[in-house]
Amino acid sequence: MITQHIDYSLFTHHSTTEAEWIEFEKEQAQAFDSIIKQQKEAKEMTTAEVKDITLGEISKGDKEKVVVSLKEYQGHKYVDVRIHFKTDTGMWQFTKKGITLNPAKVKDLVLMLQKVKA
């Protein structure tokens, strides 16, 4: 699997300007396009075959995890945050529990999450 670092450091700054967010979103779209291109070249895939790029996972124990991924479907890009569980055979399977967002809405989600005090 080809991976690329995506910089989420802007998410930690409460004083991020709209111009910075616009630039950030452009950079993320370019990073996503670059990952898709690398995967297509590495595996000689068609665009329809490139569906899921995992950005990260958060463990919820031995049998559950939250998976954050970038997806592309019929030429549209999405961010997916979904619960996965481990089957009896040890394979990970996604569930209906989660959300799928247009990448432009990620900023709104992050701003809401920043209100949570750890």
Side-chain angles (χ1 to χ4, degrees), residues 2-8 24-40 47 49-55 68-80 101-104 106:
I2 297 171
T3 60
Q4 181 169 339
H5 174 71
I6 296 179
D7 183 11
Y8 291 97
F24 173 77
E25 289 171 353
K26 286 180 187 176
E27 289 171 1
Q28 297 316 302
Q30 289 171 348
F32 182 82
D33 290 340
S34 175
I35 292 168
I36 295 292
K37 182 178 177 184
Q38 288 173 359
Q39 282 194 344
K40 284 172 61 176
T47 303
E49 293 171 321
V50 179
K51 296 178 183 167
D52 193 2
I53 301 167
T54 301
L55 295 176
V68 179
S69 58
L70 295 175
K71 296 183 179 241
E72 184 172 350
Y73 179 71
Q74 296 183 347
H76 299 283
K77 297 169 186 160
Y78 300 95
V79 175
D80 189 66
L101 296 169
N102 180 307
V106 170

Side-chain angles (χ1 to χ4, degrees), residues 63-110:
K63 300 210 180 235
E64 276 193 329
K65 63 183 176 180
V66 177
V67 178
V68 179
S69 58
L70 295 175
K71 296 183 179 241
E72 184 172 350
Y73 179 71
Q74 296 183 347
H76 299 283
K77 297 169 186 160
Y78 300 95
V79 175
D80 189 66
V81 181
R82 191 146 315 274
I83 302 290
H84 287 62
F85 71 97
K86 191 179 270 188
T87 66
D88 293 337
T89 62
M91 300 294 292
W92 288 99
Q93 177 68 42
F94 66 88
T95 69
K96 293 180 181 180
K97 298 176 184 176
I99 60 171
T100 302
L101 296 169
N102 180 307
K105 297 295 182 185
V106 170
K107 174 181 133 180
D108 297 333
L109 177 62
V110 170

Side-chain angles (χ1 to χ4, degrees), residues 14 111-118:
H14 295 285
L111 290 173
M112 285 184 268
L113 292 173
Q114 283 180 335
K115 295 178 183 178
V116 177
K117 301 287 185 203

